[in-house]
Amino acid sequence: MTENAYARSGVNVDAGDRAVELMKADVQATQGPEVLSAKKTGGFAGLYDFKYLAEGMRHPLLATSTDGVGTKVDLARRLGIFDTIGYDLVGMVVDDLTTSGIKPLFMTDYIACGHVEPERIAAIVRGVAKACAEVGCALVGGETAEHPGLLGEDEFDMAGAATGVVDAPRLLGPARVCAGDMIVGFASSGLHSNGYSLVRKIVSDQGLDWDMPLPDFIKPPAGSPFADRVGSTKANDSASGSTSATGSTSANPAASAYTLGLACLEPTRLYSRLCLDLENQGGEAAWYAGDFSEELDGNRVHAFAHVTGGGLAANLARVIPAGLHAVVDRSAWPVPALFKFLMDRGNIDQTSAEDTWNLGIGMVAIVHPDFVRVAEEAAANAGIGATVIGRVGDSAPASAEAAPETRTISGTKGVEGGTVTLRGTYRF
């Protein structure tokens, strides 16, 4: 049989079709009756019946978010572990939606690779599908593109987009944030999906090996998909939280050490269900005088901030309204030991670290003071550590301005709003 000219150029359509067949069951498992069968469209687009969500809403708003995993995909490639990186993609996309009280509806993904290895592509999408199922989001479609000559044989990149809905009167954000609000931090599962260019530079510059065993005081978080590789006695969450297991990995099950590579590949924690549950609980509470107009409801959950690129202060500042000032106490939570390890090995100063990594806080909730206990209990029930890390005020306290190592950040990510002051000393 004569080989197809397209195949001779490096694109294997048959391998792509096989990958689709291998992932089909995982994708379909995320879909309910609101997702229309591809038989109706030929699969060129995913269809979602909006009547399932819009009913009962006063003013439904559609929202969308898109993101990728960044250079963390290179680590997945090097370790040969592909079924956890999908959690990172869903975390980066869906949890951005969640910050405004938006319920995720459906998601699509895009994978570009140098060569389609069906089993590898199916493993990647399997992770995306499992994460989508965990946050209640349908995976309605995607694309796998083979780019020979542009990407190496085993190289790949991935991105995704999600759409959600929120009733306008329940939209969360800076308009709800008030002086006196408390800032509750939710523990991260590790690096999540930001700052990997710096991590990779540290590893390269210092001659480190991804397979190097980490010191015993650096432990996998509870629920880690890699915990069974290092023995149950070593599994512990240094940030007082957990992440949902992603199932088996394609790595060598005989490995016994918790390595630098595994610690850095820990999947991003998913906060969507926790945040939406809190928003629902807060919205059902009796209104309290003076905080909101009728149009804004009486929700005691006012805003969430997803701690991604730029670190805690830069992302928190996005939801602090102009004229208000948030003060965060660095000593309020324990920073996971992995961050200190990377800072020491790479000679990374504190400012660079807190402007790059989450340092143990992956999501923050800004809530009315009488809702703090509810938020902490809900997080504990979800297996996620939570603690009050700061407060919103009318202005920065004078003591904060003069204290050593105090930093104030404002006007980040193109959003003109309030300011955030970091003070105190981290607990490494």
Side-chain angles (χ1 to χ4, degrees):
M1 179 183 292
T2 302
E3 186 180 24
N4 181 281
Y6 202 19
R8 290 198 301 272
S9 74
V11 177
N12 189 333
V13 176
D14 292 337
D17 290 343
R18 171 161 170 72
V20 170
E21 287 301 314
L22 290 174
M23 69 179 73
K24 183 183 294 185
D26 294 303
V27 173
Q28 290 178 343
T30 71
Q31 301 173 357
E34 67 277 4
V35 178
L36 277 67
S37 170
K39 295 178 181 179
K40 296 182 180 294
T41 64
F44 290 99
L47 290 178
Y48 192 98
D49 192 337
F50 195 63
K51 73 180 181 182
Y52 284 87
L53 270 299
E55 187 175 348
M57 290 190 179
R58 291 160 288 183
H59 183 178
L61 299 174
L62 284 179
T64 187
S65 177
T66 186
D67 208 338
V69 177
T71 57
K72 188 173 183 176
V73 298
D74 182 64
L75 179 54
R77 177 186 67 84
R78 290 175 182 273
L79 298 184
I81 300 175
F82 303 108
D83 58 354
T84 65
I85 199 75
Y87 271 68
D88 297 288
L89 182 63
V90 174
M92 291 300 100
V93 175
V94 170
D95 279 344
D96 272 3
L97 287 177
T98 297
T99 59
S100 297
I102 297 162
K103 175 180 173 56
L105 300 179
F106 55 85
M107 183 169 178
T108 57
D109 60 32
Y110 177 85
I111 302 171
C113 59
H115 169 70
V116 170
E117 180 66 40
E119 288 74 18
R120 182 178 68 173
I121 298 298
I124 294 171
V125 176
R126 185 178 306 119
V128 177
K130 286 184 177 181
C132 280
E134 186 170 313
V135 300
C137 180
L139 183 59
V140 299
E143 173 71 10
T144 300
E146 203 165 23
H147 292 169
L150 183 61
L151 294 171
E153 281 275 310
D154 63 344
E155 291 180 340
F156 72 98
D157 196 9
M158 59 192 303
T163 297
V165 67
V166 63
D167 200 2
R170 297 182 69 89
L171 187 68
L172 304 182
R176 292 182 178 268
V177 175
C178 310
D181 282 350
M182 305 303 290
I183 304 169
V184 180
F186 298 138
S188 69
S189 57
L191 290 161
H192 284 186
S193 296
N194 300 103
Y196 278 81
S197 293
L198 176 57
V199 173
R200 290 165 60 242
K201 180 173 174 55
I202 293 170
V203 171
S204 176
D205 289 353
Q206 302 304 316
L208 305 180
D209 191 320
W210 293 113
D211 291 329
M212 66 177 288
L214 290 173
D216 285 341
F217 59 81
I218 302 179
K219 307 177 188 299
S224 163
F226 311 128
D228 59 350
R229 295 164 52 92
V230 299
S232 59
T233 58
K234 192 169 182 179
N236 181 45
D237 193 335
S238 58
S240 302
S242 67
T243 186
S244 297
T246 58
S248 61
T249 68
S250 51
N252 177 9
S256 59
Y258 192 48
T259 64
L260 176 61
L262 292 180
C264 291
L265 195 62
E266 288 289 354
T268 299
R269 178 161 287 157
L270 305 177
Y271 301 96
S272 181
R273 284 197 182 276
L274 168 62
C275 292
L276 293 177
D277 176 60
L278 287 174
E279 193 275 339
N280 286 332
Q281 291 188 56
E284 294 168 357
W287 293 359
Y288 48 94
D291 284 348
F292 303 125
S293 68
E294 183 174 347
E295 288 72 26
L296 286 177
D297 272 350
N299 200 323
R300 292 182 294 173
V301 176
H302 299 166
F304 294 105
H306 192 196
V307 183
T308 54
L312 173 59
N315 286 284
L316 178 57
R318 300 166 70 174
V319 294
I320 303 299
L324 296 187
H325 192 105
V327 177
V328 172
D329 179 6
R330 294 187 182 105
S331 69
W333 72 94
V335 178
L338 175 64
F339 293 103
K340 187 64 163 58
F341 174 87
L342 292 170
M343 291 172 67
D344 289 345
R345 289 302 185 101
N347 193 26
I348 305 300
D349 62 273
Q350 177 175 287
T351 297
S352 296
E354 66 187 9
D355 285 350
T356 305
W357 297 319
N358 65 61
L359 295 184
I361 299 295
M363 180 76 81
V364 295
I366 303 178
V367 303
H368 189 272
D370 71 7
F371 200 69
V372 169
R373 183 179 295 276
V374 176
E376 291 176 336
E377 290 178 352
N381 291 336
I384 297 174
T387 187
V388 173
I389 64 172
R391 181 180 182 275
V392 179
D394 291 316
S395 61
S399 60
E401 297 295 340
E405 296 190 351
T406 294
R407 297 182 63 212
T408 296
I409 294 94
S410 61
T412 64
K413 307 279 188 176
V415 177
E416 295 182 7
T419 55
V420 175
T421 290
L422 299 172
R423 66 175 180 179
T425 303
Y426 288 114
R427 290 195 284 131
F428 289 109

